[in-house]
Amino acid sequence: MTPTNSAEQALDEALALVSRAPEGGGGGGTGGGAGGHRAAGWQRARDIAAHAGSTVRARTHRVPLADALGEVLATPLDALTDLPSFDTSAMDGWAVAGPGPWSVRSGGSVLAGSERPEPLTDGEAVRIATGARIPADATAVIRSEHCRETGTQLFADRPVLTGQDIRPRGQECRSGDLLLPAGSLVTPAVLGLAAAAGYDELTTRPRPRVEILVLGDELLTEGRPHEGLVRDALSPMLGPWIGRLGAEVIGTRRLGDDPAGAAALLEAVTTSTADVLITTGGTASGPVDHVHPVLREAGADLLVDGVAVRPGHPMLLARTGSGTPDEPAVRHVVGLPGNPLAAVSGLLTLAEPLLRALAGRRRRPRYTAPVQGDVPGHPYDTRLVPVLLSDEHAVPLRYHGPAMLRGVAAADALAVVPPKGARSGQELEILDLPWASGGCFT
């Protein structure tokens, strides 16, 4: 551990000891604001976010196949026909009828996509291509490499079994069979299956719409940091990241810390067409931190107000609207801390479970990996530490301070370190980063 990281950890621990009471290993419910509140435990916060998304009434739409990629089936995918819809050849070779040797039919081959071929008579053979319709009364297909043609006769080099290398009608499914249930993610393979089954459109749940609001007067949009100003690292990162989570980013705006910025934030919270607003910065209790006052003025319900996780402790999740006829629009606000790695922590803790649930996608399976080396912990809170995944271990990376992106930029995942740390070889839960785990097909 570098001296800088040691100092940051010591400061974190000291602040925790004076500002918060122990919460049973990072557990506890939601509370309010900074300054001694009882933050939600890390896993509890993720569960709340997932539940919040799953209780919103689902929208559906019918879209062409290509537009359904990365969305979730809103209705089951049933077979519209038998697959295959006729007996086909599984190989290039010869369709034969009865026992050999066989007389070779003159007049050409049976090709895929051609009209219905003439039936075979007993003892007759005709050349056939993969995918071509099997002639009536054919009993088998012999692969080209397993037979020889001598004059007008065809001889097999090995025993021929009835039905070999014929794909019978309905081998994969019969008309009306359930191919995939509602809730299945539309992957490239699903598109192929749907097309094979005769679909031109699919009924899916549209991607959640997200608007990103980056708060702060100290942010530069280009050039090098200077004179107390820093580059906006979140705008370039958040849009692509959220897109990989299966959401549609409808806009990214920068708002100042002045009253005009607070007014614009209030307008967005109350009128945005997005399903989710993601804000960065302003979630603590500083003199220009407007998120809490704006949410109070908007009448929002705070579902999570602080999470017992480092970095990212002052993140929040709020909801406006009830989904009733009088107040139909339900909108969620995910408030991320302004420090870049703390914002990543908020994405993984609150935004990802919420967006997956809104999209109708199942939660990611949880898995663990043994950590290489001891990992220091926070006295009471969970830590999220960037790691590289080897064949055998999760290897912690340096540069994991709240304001640093160097570690996570090189990482495959984040390891979930329990309060008080982990010993070398201890199994830790692993949170895959979306680009390392394949993410969503967008």
Side-chain angles (χ1 to χ4, degrees), residues 195-210:
Y199 284 85
D200 299 315
E201 297 178 322
L202 292 174
T203 300
T204 59
R205 293 180 61 164
R207 292 179 175 86
R209 300 184 303 269
V210 175

Side-chain angles (χ1 to χ4, degrees), residues 44-68:
R44 173 64 176 156
R46 285 170 61 82
D47 291 342
I48 291 170
H51 178 74
S54 66
T55 57
V56 175
R57 184 180 305 165
R59 302 191 312 272
T60 65
H61 61 179
R62 192 162 182 82
V63 294
L65 290 186
D67 294 339

Side-chain angles (χ1 to χ4, degrees), residues 29-267:
T30 56
H37 74 279
R38 291 180 61 82
W42 179 77
Q43 186 58 55
R44 173 64 176 156
R46 285 170 61 82
D47 291 342
I48 291 170
H51 178 74
S54 66
T55 57
V56 175
R57 184 180 305 165
R59 302 191 312 272
T60 65
H61 61 179
R62 192 162 182 82
V63 294
L65 290 186
D67 294 339
L69 189 64
E71 297 186 349
V72 166
L73 292 177
T75 57
L77 188 72
D78 294 328
L80 301 179
T81 183
D82 296 345
L83 286 182
S85 56
F86 48 85
D87 294 347
T88 63
S89 176
M91 293 289 170
D92 293 333
W94 296 83
V96 299
W102 301 269
S103 298
V104 175
R105 175 190 287 179
S106 60
S109 304
V110 180
L111 303 178
S114 62
E115 297 180 358
R116 183 188 299 272
E118 292 294 322
L120 289 177
T121 61
D122 192 43
E124 191 177 24
V126 65
R127 191 177 291 277
I128 194 168
T130 301
R133 187 191 297 258
I134 296 292
D137 298 325
T139 55
V141 169
I142 306 175
R143 303 182 188 192
S144 298
E145 62 269 26
H146 294 166
C147 59
R148 64 188 187 279
E149 185 180 1
T150 303
T152 61
Q153 294 288 300
L154 182 72
F155 297 88
D157 295 334
R158 59 186 64 189
V160 177
L161 303 177
T162 300
Q164 72 178 31
D165 287 327
I166 293 176
R167 295 183 63 222
R169 176 174 181 165
Q171 182 185 51
E172 186 169 4
C173 65
R174 290 291 185 181
S175 180
D177 284 353
L178 174 65
L179 300 178
L180 289 171
S184 299
L185 179 66
V186 179
T187 65
V190 172
L191 291 182
L193 176 62
Y199 284 85
D200 299 315
E201 297 178 322
L202 292 174
T203 300
T204 59
R205 293 180 61 164
R207 292 179 175 86
R209 300 184 303 269
V210 175
E211 185 175 9
I212 300 169
L213 303 175
V214 179
L215 312 181
D217 291 331
E218 76 281 12
L219 303 176
L220 295 169
T221 59
E222 60 183 15
R224 300 178 183 179
H226 64 275
E227 297 177 356
L229 302 177
V230 298
R231 277 295 296 270
D232 173 14
L234 295 178
S235 293
M237 178 177 72
L238 292 181
W241 193 311
I242 291 165
R244 293 286 287 186
L245 297 180
E248 176 191 358
V249 178
I250 63 173
T252 299
R253 288 191 283 160
R254 295 177 179 86
L255 305 181
D257 290 328
D258 55 3
L265 177 60
L266 177 62
E267 181 181 13

